C-alpha cells in the first residue's frame, strides 16, 4: 500500500494505524515518537547524606524545634490522625492545626521552664509596631469615612423607599377617589335618564361625609385646644354660630308659659302709651298737630 492521506488516517482504527506505522506507510510529521520518561526514585541514602551535611549540632534552646502530632480531642478523647482529616473541610483542617500547636506548647513550655527561659512578656515590654501611628491614623480615618459614606447611602436608600411608598399611597388614594366620583356620576346619569330609581349613592356620600366629620371631631376632642385658644375662649366666649340663633322653632312657638299680657299690651308699670317707651319720657312727649290746634282755639 502507498502512503495514507489525512482523511484516511482519521477514518482508520488504532490497530490499522499501528500496522501502517510498522510498515512505514504513514506520512512523516503525523506521529511524534516520545522518549520514555525517566522513572522517579526515592533516593533515601542521598537525602540522608544531604541532611548530614547541612545539619548543625546545636542545643535545643537555640533551635526550639518541636515535632508532634495533634493533641487529644477533649470531645472524642482520641488524637485525630492526618488521614482522618478531610483537607477540603476548612473547619477540620484549621482545628487539626490548632490542636497540633497546642501539643507543641504543652511539650515546649516545661522544657523552657526547666532551662529557666522566660516565657511571659514583662509588663514594661515595648514592641515597635510594623506600621507607624500616622499610618494607622490614616487607615482609621479612611475606615471612618467609609462607614459614614455607607450610613449616608443607607439613609438615602431609606428616604427613597419612603418617598416611593408615599407616592404609591397617594396614587392609590387619587385613583380610589376618581373611581368613586365616576361611579357617582354614572349613578346620577342613570337616575336622570330614568334607568334607575335608587338613590343609594346619596346615602353613601352622606355616610362618608359624616364619617369624616366624626373622625375630625374625635381628633379634635382627643387633641384639644391649645393654651392660647383656651384663654380666648375664657375671655371672649366660645364663639359659634350667631346668625339665626334667635329664630323660632316649633317647640318655642307652642310654649306660652312665659307669656305676659300686660307686658305684651304695654300696660305694665313704667310703660307709656301705644308704641311708647314708658317712664318720664312718655309724659314729656309733644302732643300732635290737632291737639295743638284745639289747645290754641281754647286759649282764644
Amino acid at each position: 500500500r502507498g502512503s495514507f492521506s489525512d482523511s484516511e488516517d482519521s477514518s482508520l482504527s488504532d490497530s490499522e494505524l499501528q500496522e501502517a506505522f510498522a510498515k512505514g506507510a504513514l506520512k512523516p510529521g503525523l506521529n511524534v515518537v516520545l522518549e520514555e520518561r525517566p522513572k522517579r526514585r526515592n533516593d533515601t541514602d542521598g537525602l540522608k547524606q544531604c541532611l548530614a551535611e547541612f545539619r548543625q549540632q546545636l542545643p535545643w534552646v537555640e533551635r526550639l524545634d518541636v515535632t508532634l502530632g495533634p493533641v487529644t480531642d477533649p470531645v472524642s478523647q482520641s488524637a485525630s490522625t492526618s488521614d482522618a482529616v478531610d483537607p477540603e473541610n476548612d473547619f477540620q483542617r484549621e482545628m487539626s492545626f490548632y490542636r497540633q500547636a497546642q501539643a507543641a506548647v504543652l511539650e515546649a513550655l516545661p522544657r523552657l521552664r526547666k532551662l529557666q527561659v522566660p516565657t511571659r512578656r514583662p509588663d514594661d515590654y515595648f514592641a515597635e509596631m510594623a506600621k507607624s501611628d500616622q499610618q494607622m491614623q490614616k487607615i482609621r480615618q479612611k475606615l471612618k469615612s467609609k462607614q459614614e459614606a455607607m450610613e449616608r447611602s443607607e439613609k438615602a436608600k431609606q428616604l427613597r423607599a419612603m418617598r416611593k411608598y408615599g407616592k404609591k399611597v397617594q396614587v392609590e388614594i387619587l385613583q380610589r377617589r376618581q373611581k368613586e366620583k365616576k361611579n357617582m356620576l354614572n349613578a346620577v346619569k342613570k337616575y336622570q335618564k330614568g334607568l334607575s330609581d335608587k338613590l343609594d349613592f346619596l346615602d353613601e356620600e352622606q355616610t362618608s361625609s359624616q364619617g369624616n366629620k366624626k373622625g375630625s371631631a374625635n381628633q379634635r376632642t382627643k387633641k384639644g385646644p391649645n393654651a392660647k385658644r383656651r384663654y380666648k375662649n375664657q375671655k371672649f366666649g366660645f364663639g359659634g354660630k350667631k346668625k339665626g340663633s334667635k329664630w323660632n322653632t316649633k317647640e318655642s312657638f307652642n310654649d306660652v308659659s312665659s307669656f305676659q299680657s300686660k307686658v305684651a299690651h304695654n300696660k305694665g308699670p313704667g310703660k307709656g302709651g301705644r308704641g311708647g317707651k314708658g317712664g318720664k319720657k312718655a309724659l314729656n312727649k309733644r302732643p300732635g298737630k290737632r291737639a295743638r290746634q284745639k289747645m290754641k282755639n281754647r286759649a282764644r
Side-chain angles (χ1 to χ4, degrees):
R1 289 170 59 179
S3 60
F4 293 91
S5 62
D6 295 342
S7 61
E8 290 174 347
D9 290 343
S10 61
S11 62
L12 294 175
S13 62
D14 294 339
S15 60
E16 292 175 347
L17 286 171
Q18 289 176 2
E19 291 176 1
F21 178 72
K23 292 178 181 180
L26 295 175
K27 289 181 180 180
L30 291 177
N31 293 281
V32 179
V33 180
L34 297 176
E35 296 180 358
E36 187 178 357
R37 294 181 179 178
K39 294 182 179 179
R40 296 179 179 178
R41 59 177 182 171
N42 188 12
D43 190 4
T44 55
D45 297 334
L47 291 173
K48 289 180 180 179
Q49 184 180 356
C50 291
L51 180 62
E53 288 178 358
F54 65 79
R55 174 180 288 176
Q56 296 180 357
Q57 298 296 331
L58 297 174
W60 179 82
V61 71
E62 297 292 338
R63 293 181 284 112
L64 296 177
D65 56 339
V66 179
T67 305
L68 291 172
V71 75
T72 305
D73 190 359
V75 178
S76 60
Q77 296 296 329
S78 64
S80 59
T81 61
S82 60
D83 298 334
V85 177
D86 185 8
E88 300 296 331
N89 192 336
D90 296 339
F91 180 74
Q92 288 185 4
R93 188 173 65 251
E94 295 297 329
M95 285 303 296
S96 66
F97 294 157
Y98 175 71
R99 286 197 292 271
Q100 190 173 4
Q102 278 184 330
V105 169
L106 294 174
E107 176 69 20
L109 273 178
R111 296 174 67 177
L112 289 172
R113 289 171 182 168
K114 189 176 181 181
L115 295 173
Q116 296 181 357
V117 177
T119 58
R120 287 182 176 274
R121 180 182 297 176
D123 297 335
D124 57 348
Y125 180 78
F126 176 75
E128 187 177 357
M129 302 295 291
K131 293 183 180 180
S132 62
D133 294 341
Q134 296 178 355
Q135 183 69 17
M136 294 303 295
Q137 190 68 20
K138 288 181 181 178
I139 294 172
R140 194 178 293 108
Q141 290 178 359
K142 190 173 182 180
L143 291 174
K144 188 177 180 181
S145 62
K146 279 187 179 181
Q147 186 178 3
E148 290 177 355
M150 289 175 63
E151 290 178 356
R152 286 196 298 268
S153 64
E154 190 67 24
K155 286 182 181 179
K157 192 184 295 183
Q158 291 179 359
L159 287 174
R160 284 196 297 270
M162 289 174 65
R163 288 198 197 100
K164 192 174 181 181
Y165 180 73
K167 286 182 180 179
K168 183 180 178 182
V169 172
Q170 189 176 7
V171 168
E172 289 178 357
I173 292 173
L174 291 175
Q175 288 178 354
R176 181 167 54 81
R177 287 179 181 175
Q178 290 177 358
K179 187 176 180 181
E180 291 176 356
K181 186 177 180 181
K182 186 177 180 181
N183 294 337
M184 183 177 175
L185 291 175
N186 292 334
V188 171
K189 287 180 181 178
K190 286 182 181 180
Y191 182 77
Q192 289 177 349
K193 292 179 180 179
L195 300 176
S196 176
D197 56 347
K198 296 180 180 179
L199 297 175
D200 298 338
F201 57 91
L202 295 177
D203 298 337
E204 292 177 359
E205 185 182 4
Q206 289 177 359
T207 53
S208 63
S209 62
Q210 288 177 0
N212 293 334
K213 288 181 180 178
K214 287 181 180 178
S216 60
N218 291 333
Q219 291 178 358
R220 286 196 301 270
T221 53
K222 287 180 181 178
K223 188 176 181 181
N226 55 11
K228 186 177 180 181
R229 184 70 268 170
R230 289 198 299 270
Y231 173 73
K232 287 191 175 182
N233 290 342
Q234 185 180 0
K235 185 176 181 181
F236 303 107
F238 293 92
K241 186 179 178 182
K242 301 295 189 298
K243 188 176 181 181
S245 59
K246 295 184 179 181
W247 285 358
N248 247 343
T249 59
K250 186 176 180 181
E251 289 79 8
S252 65
F253 178 78
N254 293 329
D255 186 16
V256 293
S257 59
S258 61
F259 177 76
Q260 297 180 6
S261 59
K262 293 182 178 181
V263 175
H265 294 75
N266 294 326
K267 293 182 179 180
K271 295 291 182 180
R274 186 176 179 182
K277 294 184 180 180
K280 297 181 179 179
K281 292 184 179 179
L283 298 175
N284 296 332
K285 187 177 179 182
R286 183 184 179 190
K289 187 176 181 180
R290 290 188 178 181
R292 291 199 304 273
Q293 288 179 355
K294 287 180 180 180
M295 290 173 63
K296 287 181 181 179
N297 293 332
R298 288 177 183 173
R300 291 177 183 174

